[in-house]
């Protein structure tokens, strides 16, 4: 039997048929694997954010940085930072601001703005400042849905979305039960309904 005949044997045709039914006739099978990969990537970014925030917190403590709500220079002893290098702190952690956690991450993460084209970066973020005590950063991969609404208490905010929610460290809202227990550190959540 020649090479063509071996390739087109009944066994190989059956195998190709099964594969094509999975990948062509059932795209949800492919989408499921993409969904799992997107979720894994988001969870990796969450671990990176948490590690970065903890590292900045530890560096600030070791350097004797006393003001938990000021700016912190992450450089070594005797070195000074420019305003563009200082990390905004809240409760001893990078704040939920562009000059807080986004600067601390030191990634190429672009700001997604309504009236401007999307930045040419793999990761995007949106930022909301409610008042001097409450800010939020939402981070996602380019091409994935990210909400325009920031009201974290609205359940619909989390539907059909795929992003990371980084809230003001030690944020306290006595009117909302979901923030209980966040008084001593970070609040980072992953929303994956739309991944």
């Amino acid at each position: 039997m020649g090479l063509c005949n071996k390739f087109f044997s009944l066994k190989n045709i059956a195998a190709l048929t099964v594969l094509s039914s999975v990948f062509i006739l059932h795209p949800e099978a492919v989408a499921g694997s993409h969904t799992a990969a997107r979720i894994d990537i988001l969870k990796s970014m969450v671990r990176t954010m948490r590690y970065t925030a903890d590292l900045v917190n530890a560096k600030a403590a070791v350097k004797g940085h006393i003001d938990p709500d000021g700016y912190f220079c992450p450089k070594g002893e005797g070195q000074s930072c420019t305003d563009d290098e200082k990390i905004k702190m809240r409760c001893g952690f990078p704040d939920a601001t562009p000059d807080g956690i986004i600067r601390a991450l030191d990634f190429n993460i672009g700001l997604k703005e309504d009236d401007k084209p999307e930045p040419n970066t793999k990761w995007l973020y949106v930022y909301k400042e409610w008042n001097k005590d409450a800010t939020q950063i939402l981070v996602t991969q380019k091409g994935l849905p990210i909400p325009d609404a920031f009201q974290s208490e609205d359940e619909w905010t989390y539907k059909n979305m795929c992003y990371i929610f980084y809230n003001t460290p030690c944020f306290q809202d006595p009117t909302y039960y979901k923030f209980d227990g966040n008084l001593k550190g970070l609040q980072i959540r992953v929303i994956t309904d739309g991944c």
Side-chain angles (χ1 to χ4, degrees), residues 99-120:
D99 58 351
I101 188 62
I102 298 298
R103 184 172 290 163
L105 282 169
D106 197 23
F107 274 29
N108 190 10
I109 303 176
L111 175 63
K112 182 178 178 184
E113 299 177 87
D114 288 339
D115 298 336
K116 296 184 180 175
E118 274 191 3
N120 190 18

Side-chain angles (χ1 to χ4, degrees), residues 11-23:
K11 184 177 176 183
N12 288 338
I13 290 173
L16 287 172
T17 302
V18 170
L19 286 173
S20 67
S21 70
V22 170
F23 292 110

Side-chain angles (χ1 to χ4, degrees), residues 12-147:
N12 288 338
I13 290 173
L16 287 172
T17 302
V18 170
L19 286 173
S20 67
S21 70
V22 170
F23 292 110
I24 296 170
L25 300 178
H26 302 290
E28 65 275 3
V30 175
S33 64
H34 290 295
T35 295
R38 287 185 200 115
I39 291 170
D40 286 345
I41 291 168
L42 276 184
K43 287 181 177 179
S44 293
M45 177 59 97
V46 167
R47 287 189 294 274
T48 301
M49 290 174 92
R50 187 171 300 281
Y51 173 79
T52 300
D54 286 339
L55 183 63
V56 169
N57 177 269
K59 279 185 174 182
V62 167
K63 285 183 76 173
H65 181 77
I66 297 169
D67 184 1
D69 293 336
Y71 281 84
F72 171 66
C73 177
K75 290 186 175 181
E77 289 299 320
Q79 296 179 322
S80 60
C81 288
T82 65
D83 287 344
D84 291 340
E85 295 171 319
K86 293 177 183 175
I87 297 171
K88 185 176 181 186
M89 303 289 280
R90 173 65 109 194
C91 185
F93 294 95
D95 201 0
T97 58
D99 58 351
I101 188 62
I102 298 298
R103 184 172 290 163
L105 282 169
D106 197 23
F107 274 29
N108 190 10
I109 303 176
L111 175 63
K112 182 178 178 184
E113 299 177 87
D114 288 339
D115 298 336
K116 296 184 180 175
E118 274 191 3
N120 190 18
T121 57
K122 183 177 178 179
W123 291 92
L124 300 172
Y125 77 93
V126 291
Y127 166 68
K128 175 70 175 182
E129 182 174 351
W130 294 102
N131 57 47
K132 67 181 182 74
D133 295 322
T135 54
Q136 295 168 336
I137 291 278
L138 308 181
V139 177
T140 194
Q141 286 184 287
K142 188 172 187 153
L144 295 180
I146 191 167

